[in-house]
Amino acid sequence: MIDTNYNGSNGPLLNSSVSGKTAYNGSAKNKELVFELSKNLNSFRTSEEVLTFCVREFIPHFHLTDFVIYKYASQSKSLFKCASQDKLYFDTHADKNLLVLPLGSGIVGQTASKKHSHLVNDTENNQNYIVDDVKRYSELSTPIIFKGKLIGVMDSENEEKDFYSQDLKDVFETLSMIIAPYLKDIALSSKENSYLLKLQSLLEDDQCYLDKDINLDSIAEQLAITPGYLSALIHQNGLECFRSYVNGFRINHFLELYKSNRIDSYSILSLAYASGFASKATFNRAFKKHTGMTPKGYLKR
């Protein structure tokens, strides 16, 4: 546990400036906090324990009003929240507005794409800023990298302009280096695995994709989780978006019907409808996306 009663010679961690703003202060204190963090990490066995300690024991010492750790999903090239001061997203499925960011989107996405930190003193002058829950006016974003591979991003926003200092940026970058080896293999929890297994069963065993009316909401309801949480799980597992994932099953079903020589009795469009597609246009788009060819071109090979 980090000592919360540190009284080093450099004074308190936070001081009130003349203007009334809360100003960040105290490099010596930072070094002690980071040192204590390093010692604690040796006792942890899972990435979840590391994330929990960071957001609930370490970060609160810096009195930040907002702090989020995003994980990078390389297959879908997107970032999604896996921990914040308020919530550990691998522990809950109640968040209907779970933010998923494409690589390069927003300050967080830019940090991930360029693999270097961004300290923004005034978000009003930054065209990449994206409002999450509420508008804030300064942001500090740092990539988490292990052996050159992007693992995720740490991000903090504040209601005040010019809130973050170079000193705090250094702390973020040091923290990133320390936790990266522990987070390189962030795995799905057993609960999340069970949801994905149920989703797979609905699609493979029950063939729910044959119902042209299924959507993210209806499947989430069957799994007893929120649509936002289901979407995040799909992204986290590198399975593209829900619609594309389901259409992949429909395309495979269509090809199985075609291979069974039923093409003599049914047209291509009829087989598409029988595979769960609601329209010719949707089928053609999905087929080309998954095979790189039009249906007729593919079947003439």
Side-chain angles (χ1 to χ4, degrees):
M1 187 67 65
I2 292 177
D3 177 15
T4 59
N5 297 311
Y6 174 79
N7 290 306
S9 59
N10 285 274
L13 181 61
L14 296 170
N15 286 332
S16 295
S17 65
V18 176
S19 65
K21 291 186 178 182
T22 302
Y24 185 81
N25 183 38
S27 295
K29 171 67 175 179
N30 298 345
K31 291 178 181 178
E32 174 152 331
L33 289 171
V34 170
F35 176 71
E36 291 293 332
L37 170 66
S38 300
K39 290 196 302 183
N40 277 276
L41 289 182
N42 293 328
S43 64
F44 299 142
R45 295 181 178 273
T46 68
S47 56
E48 285 83 356
E49 290 177 323
V50 174
L51 289 172
T52 301
F53 185 83
C54 286
V55 300
R56 293 183 176 172
E57 299 289 342
F58 180 76
I59 289 300
H61 288 275
F62 299 92
H63 297 258
L64 303 177
T65 57
D66 172 77
F67 179 81
V68 176
I69 296 179
Y70 292 84
K71 182 186 183 301
Y72 177 59
S74 58
Q75 293 186 19
S76 59
K77 294 185 178 180
S78 59
L79 298 127
F80 61 92
K81 290 181 180 179
C82 61
S84 70
Q85 288 174 280
D86 301 324
K87 189 176 298 182
L88 300 173
Y89 292 88
F90 43 76
D91 281 344
T92 180
H93 54 269
D95 191 347
K96 296 182 179 180
N97 301 301
L98 190 58
L99 182 64
V100 178
L101 293 172
L103 185 66
S105 177
I107 294 172
V108 171
Q110 284 292 306
T111 297
S113 177
K114 296 180 179 179
K115 293 185 180 180
H116 67 73
S117 297
H118 285 79
L119 196 165
V120 179
N121 293 317
D122 186 354
T123 58
E124 289 188 312
N125 295 327
N126 190 295
Q127 60 182 3
N128 293 312
Y129 178 71
I130 294 177
V131 178
D132 184 357
D133 50 351
V134 297
K135 183 175 177 61
R136 299 184 177 93
Y137 294 96
S138 56
E139 184 168 356
L140 175 58
S141 188
T142 300
I144 304 172
I145 298 171
F146 182 73
K147 292 184 177 180
K149 179 182 178 182
L150 180 68
I151 305 300
V153 172
M154 297 188 306
D155 185 74
S156 180
E157 297 181 22
N158 194 272
E159 291 82 1
E160 299 176 357
K161 296 179 181 180
D162 301 308
F163 177 81
Y164 301 102
S165 66
Q166 179 63 42
D167 187 38
L168 187 53
K169 178 173 175 285
D170 292 343
V171 170
F172 267 45
E173 292 177 346
T174 303
L175 173 61
S176 169
M177 292 172 59
I178 292 174
I179 67 175
Y182 297 88
L183 303 184
K184 68 180 187 300
D185 296 318
I186 294 179
L188 296 175
S189 68
S190 58
K191 181 182 289 186
E192 289 173 327
N193 270 321
S194 70
Y195 292 138
L196 288 176
L197 288 173
K198 289 177 183 177
L199 173 62
Q200 186 175 357
S201 178
L202 284 173
L203 291 166
E204 292 184 355
D205 301 331
D206 299 345
Q207 294 186 313
C208 67
Y209 57 83
L210 296 179
D211 178 1
K212 63 180 177 60
D213 294 320
I214 67 163
N215 54 39
L216 186 67
D217 289 358
S218 63
I219 294 297
E221 184 176 358
Q222 292 187 61
L223 296 176
I225 60 179
T226 66
Y229 182 68
L230 175 57
S231 179
L233 278 182
I234 291 172
H235 276 281
Q236 180 176 355
N237 210 39
L239 299 177
E240 305 180 269
C241 67
F242 174 79
R243 182 177 299 176
S244 181
Y245 183 47
V246 171
N247 282 341
F249 283 88
R250 288 170 171 160
I251 295 297
N252 289 336
H253 188 85
F254 167 86
L255 293 174
E256 287 298 320
L257 291 180
Y258 176 76
K259 291 175 183 177
S260 68
N261 296 319
R262 296 185 186 182
I263 195 68
D264 294 333
S265 304
Y266 299 94
S267 67
I268 290 178
L269 186 56
S270 295
L271 291 178
Y273 289 147
S275 300
F277 287 101
S279 70
K280 179 180 179 180
T282 301
F283 168 65
N284 285 338
R285 282 196 302 270
F287 196 96
K288 188 166 186 179
K289 179 177 180 179
H290 284 268
T291 67
M293 302 177 67
T294 64
K296 287 186 177 180
Y298 184 91
L299 298 177
K300 286 180 179 179
R301 294 184 309 164

